[in-house]
Amino acid sequence: MKCEYCTGRPLLERKNLMVSYSSDYKVFINQCNYLEDSVIGNTVPHSLHGVKINFCPMCGRDLGKHS
């Protein structure tokens, strides 16, 4: 069974790790295995700058291995 948060499916089909219900702000795992948000870095306070992760926080899959 593939994880809905970290699989290689098109990015729009992946589930978000976090969602702000008061705005359109989202955090997700992109196809290069970086945490990414829906806002371009430095355009708003506290925006992310693409942090590479080694494991999916939802299923624990090793993101360094190709599947």
Side-chain angles (χ1 to χ4, degrees):
M1 182 174 180
K2 290 189 175 187
C3 176
E4 298 172 305
Y5 298 90
C6 69
T7 60
R9 297 184 306 179
L11 199 54
L12 295 175
E13 294 181 12
R14 290 185 185 195
K15 281 195 171 182
N16 297 303
L17 295 170
M18 297 187 314
V19 176
S20 170
Y21 291 107
S22 63
S23 69
D24 195 26
Y25 187 78
K26 302 169 188 157
V27 176
F28 52 91
I29 302 170
N30 72 15
Q31 292 171 325
C32 297
N33 301 325
Y34 278 76
L35 290 180
E36 187 174 325
D37 63 6
S38 57
V39 177
I40 298 171
N42 281 338
T43 59
V44 297
H46 311 293
S47 58
L48 295 175
H49 289 276
V51 177
K52 184 160 179 61
I53 58 174
N54 296 316
F55 295 90
C56 174
M58 302 308 284
C59 72
R61 184 172 72 93
D62 184 347
L63 299 175
K65 294 182 179 182
H66 301 289
S67 55

